[in-house]
Amino acid sequence: MKSFTDIVQYRRAIRKYDQNFEFDPEVVTRALELSTLAPNSSNMQMWEIHRVRSPEMLKKAKVFCMEQNAAKTANELIIFATAPQKWKQRAEMNANVIRRAFAAKPNTPEHVFAYYEKDMPLLYSGEGLVEYKGVVGEQGNRLRKEDVRVILNKSVALAAMTFMYALSEAGYDSCPMEGFEEDQIKKLLGLPQEADVCMIVSCGKRLPEGVYGPRLRLDAKDVIKEH
Ligand SMILES: Cc1cc2nc3c(=O)[nH]c(=O)nc-3n(C[C@H](O)[C@H](O)[C@H](O)COP(=O)(O)O)c2cc1C
């Protein structure tokens, strides 16, 4: 079994995949399932993952990835998108779990249920500014629509990362991309206007020349600050 260190070290952004490799789509299926186990804000799971692999859809999606090398030879393209339109269903799902968990305790204070039945609807209903009381103190944070988009994109990015590491574990490769025409991709997949395409991840099996040079990173000591 590979160690997590091996998996992290193996993953590179790949710009050229092996067209002769016998690509097993089941590997992608398993990696995608694992990706949905990523941590996510309030467990609202406001994400949608679109797997593009049919030849005709792949052809179109690659064009909208600006024909860049990381997409051109990929066996599949995985589109990781936010799903702000799903807030009601997700809040209800969580609320139901909590209601069931506390069903046998009739004196449960209302605030236990408020998070998913009041706070989350307030935050995600898209009604503009939201005064949101943090757990730390009385000072409310003022959350704007843009903040909510950031919240959703953070979680989606973690799902994409989980997916890429799952592929690495199987000896498969990927490249995360933000170089794409978002409106065209959204149109192609039928995503609503309010959704963000957080990242598109190409996948396949690397060719040696698909790795553009040795890994370049800052010294850890210049990035990691101790306090
Ligand atoms: C959010 C994000 C967007 C990226 N967009 C692109 C892209 O559009 N095209 C591309 O070739 N690489 C893209 N990359 C890959 C980075 O260039 C790559 O991760 C970086 O150069 C470090 O190389 P490594 O991943 O091999 O360590 C992106 C990476 C991230 C995390």
Side-chain angles (χ1 to χ4, degrees):
M1 200 169 116
K2 284 176 193 158
S3 71
F4 186 65
T5 304
D6 291 339
I7 291 165
V8 174
Q9 293 287 6
Y10 175 78
R11 188 213 58 79
R12 294 295 314 276
I14 299 303
R15 276 56 176 247
K16 200 162 186 211
Y17 299 101
D18 187 350
Q19 303 294 278
N20 298 317
F21 178 71
E22 219 170 286
F23 184 83
D24 179 4
E26 276 304 305
V27 171
V28 176
T29 303
R30 283 192 293 275
L32 284 175
E33 281 164 11
L34 288 174
S35 77
T36 67
L37 301 185
N40 65 94
S41 184
S42 299
N43 205 21
M44 289 284 280
Q45 300 170 60
M46 286 164 71
W47 49 32
E48 256 184 20
I49 305 170
H50 290 255
R51 179 177 185 182
V52 176
R53 59 173 168 163
S54 72
E56 61 281 15
M57 283 291 279
L58 255 184
K59 198 170 164 203
K60 288 181 190 163
K62 284 179 182 183
V63 171
F64 299 143
C65 289
M66 302 166 171
E67 299 273 12
Q68 58 167 308
N69 286 345
K72 257 187 201 160
T73 57
N75 293 80
E76 299 200 19
L77 292 175
I78 313 298
I79 287 89
F80 287 87
T82 66
Q85 74 280 10
K86 298 284 171 70
W87 69 267
K88 207 169 187 178
Q89 189 272 336
R90 304 295 202 264
E92 277 170 14
M93 174 190 76
N94 279 291
N96 289 339
V97 169
I98 290 184
R99 284 273 171 199
R100 274 200 300 277
F102 285 87
K105 298 176 185 161
N107 296 326
T108 307
E110 268 311 296
H111 71 80
V112 171
F113 307 113
Y115 191 70
Y116 288 112
E117 294 180 5
K118 221 174 105 224
D119 298 346
M120 287 297 107
L122 249 184
L123 180 61
Y124 288 116
S125 61
E127 282 162 11
L129 298 179
V130 173
E131 290 293 343
Y132 183 73
K133 270 203 173 123
V135 284
V136 179
E138 282 308 299
Q139 198 183 355
N141 293 320
R142 181 160 276 228
L143 286 169
R144 296 163 304 153
K145 259 187 166 177
E146 293 74 40
D147 299 323
V148 174
R149 286 180 65 193
V150 172
I151 290 172
L152 297 186
N153 275 280
K154 282 185 215 173
S155 295
V156 175
L158 292 175
M161 186 73 263
T162 304
F163 172 67
M164 289 187 277
Y165 282 145
L167 285 185
S168 290
E169 188 194 26
Y172 276 47
D173 295 289
S174 62
C175 186
M177 290 180 285
E178 58 196 351
F180 51 80
E181 295 173 59
E182 188 175 15
D183 286 348
Q184 302 291 357
I185 290 284
K186 278 161 67 169
K187 215 152 103 194
L188 184 67
L189 302 176
L191 297 181
Q193 196 46 46
E194 64 266 34
D196 285 328
V197 177
C198 171
M199 231 179 284
I200 299 182
V201 178
S202 63
C203 23
K205 179 80 176 173
R206 75 177 66 179
L207 282 174
E209 62 268 33
V211 182
Y212 286 180
R215 180 113 71 181
L216 171 66
R217 285 298 190 272
L218 297 164
D219 271 355
K221 68 173 167 36
D222 293 330
V223 180
I224 302 162
K225 311 290 176 191
E226 291 205 21
H227 301 276

